[in-house]
Amino acid sequence: MGERKALSELCRLLPGLLAHWSGHRLDLLEEGVEELRAGTVSAVEVCARIGLPLRPFIPGDAPPAPDVYGPLPGLGAPRIPAGTYVCPRRQCSRSEGRDADGRVPACVLFEEPLRLRTGITRIFGSGG
């Protein structure tokens, strides 16, 4: 598994790991998180250190964005930005929809919300 996918998997699992692990394994995880934030270690290495098995890539892995918003009184149904949310630093391949309560997913590793992926990812220069 590549670095982007390993970072994505670690980011996805990090909140649960921090909440449930203790002792030496938690210490290794917290140390690995600090090193990742500093850019001094790879996510693949951190996962190996803490004994986190990396799942194989499965196309279509990201859950769809749920339809959780109701209309406001007197107004029609609200329009929600369609799409998925991706790594705010463009460093991993994590891709998710909003949760069941409509909250934007967060990157616990870098302590930032994921960014909405729009249809236009690059602007190409004009010819001539």
Side-chain angles (χ1 to χ4, degrees):
M1 176 174 295
E3 177 66 11
R4 288 177 57 84
K5 188 64 179 170
L7 189 59
S8 172
E9 187 73 358
L10 186 59
C11 182
R12 185 181 68 80
L13 296 173
L14 194 56
L17 299 177
L18 290 170
H20 294 98
W21 283 8
S22 62
H24 181 66
R25 200 168 186 197
L26 178 60
D27 293 341
L28 286 174
L29 176 61
E30 289 175 340
E31 179 181 298
V33 166
E34 290 303 316
E35 290 174 324
L36 280 168
R37 287 178 181 156
T40 59
V41 69
S42 74
V44 172
E45 184 177 336
V46 172
C47 290
R49 261 193 237 164
I50 63 175
L52 183 67
L54 298 173
R55 63 189 180 132
F57 173 73
I58 300 169
D61 224 2
D67 183 19
V68 296
Y69 291 92
L72 295 173
L75 300 175
R79 299 204 32 115
I80 302 169
T84 56
Y85 292 82
V86 295
C87 180
R89 296 190 180 196
R90 296 179 169 97
Q91 292 185 349
C92 80
S93 59
R94 183 174 170 199
S95 177
E96 293 188 21
R98 291 177 179 255
D99 69 10
D101 294 323
R103 291 183 298 255
V104 173
C107 173
V108 176
L109 181 63
F110 294 112
E111 300 172 326
E112 298 175 26
L114 271 60
R115 66 179 174 81
L116 180 64
R117 181 187 337 187
T118 59
I120 300 173
T121 57
R122 289 182 222 193
I123 299 176
F124 296 96
S126 60

